[in-house]
Amino acid sequence: AMGADMFATDLSPLQAVGPLFSGRGCADCHNNPIPGGMGAGPDTFVTRVGRITGGTFDPLIGEGGPVARAHSISSLGFFCGLSTGVPPLANVTSLRSAMTLRGTALIDFVQNRDILAAQAAEPAEVRGKLNLLADGRPGRFGWKAQFTTLVEFMGDAFTHEMGVTNPLVPNDEEDGCGASFLKPEIDAVPVEAVTAFMGSLDPAVPDATCLAAAGASTFTSLGCASCHTPSFPGPTRTINLYSDLLVHDMGPALNDQFTAGSATGSEWRTAPLWRLADRVHFLHDGRAATVTDAIAAHGGQGAAAAAAFGALDAPTQQALLDFLG
């Protein structure tokens, strides 16, 4: 209950938000169709920023990055002369959609050994890789699997999306306007509480009729299930994730030039497909308005499955889309 309240509350500057921020609360972006869902409107996207020099990517930490924040506490009646938007040192940007958080907490319970087993079972030509972070741990949360645990994912969002520094990410992107007055501005309790709330956002579980549908067998025969691993064992339930939690090369059209851990610009985490029917746009930047558009955008290691989908007759395509929905 504490976490649900924190998730839904728009914080004020007196509650440590800012001085620059994308949203004042989690539900500003994760709100469709319920708190904890995906972002639906244009204000729910964030722009990641960086600088590429000599082929090396720099997320501009401490120099206005890694996120361009759209709002300032000056809009809330507090004096602040800091500039919003893309910092002047950035020469590359990447739009990111606020993904649905429904079911995300279950990913913490997937065991590394099961991820490695799924990886080993994938055909060599589409086999994904772990995104190994600087400390050697594999990532599994975020568009590029750049966070290892849910609480780290949340700690990063508190600081970089709301400007609320915390023990996991204690330094703000900005100096001035009170940004560095306290380090951190909140303790671990709000971050842990919101993480606990997210544990209540369970996704729908596919029933036997769904799993026996014609579209389910097409999903497997096309090769979709090679990367969108249908399920992993959990401690008390099957986790119907439809992702292998690995990153795959999705081709030049989806290359945003941003690196994260060991993931390159064209490598993205296999998107979990649960709650797909709730989503109003698809892919990391929302460029796809429909599931069909998202499939067609698969390049690189996803190109063969996308081509196989495009070659299906209309009724078989629709059966697969019905299954995904």
Side-chain angles (χ1 to χ4, degrees), residues 26-87:
C26 306
D28 285 1
C29 293
H30 299 281
N31 52 29
N32 186 71
I34 62 170
M38 74 173 298
D43 292 340
T44 64
F45 287 84
V46 298
T47 300
R48 298 195 73 84
V49 300
R51 177 176 55 196
I52 296 178
T53 306
T56 301
F57 176 79
D58 176 6
L60 296 176
I61 301 296
E63 299 177 285
V67 175
R69 295 185 285 191
H71 306 289
S72 165
I73 58 173
S74 62
S75 65
L76 302 174
F78 290 76
F79 175 77
C80 181
L82 292 174
S83 298
T84 59
V86 177

Side-chain angles (χ1 to χ4, degrees), residues 97-113:
S97 168
M99 62 178 64
T100 182
L101 302 176
R102 301 177 74 179
T104 298
L106 292 172
I107 295 173
D108 261 335
F109 295 99
V110 179
Q111 299 297 302
N112 286 333
R113 64 175 180 269

Side-chain angles (χ1 to χ4, degrees), residues 4-24:
D5 180 71
M6 183 73 185
F7 193 95
T9 298
D10 273 350
L11 302 176
S12 77
L14 298 179
Q15 295 168 306
V17 79
L20 301 183
F21 56 92
S22 297
R24 293 168 54 195

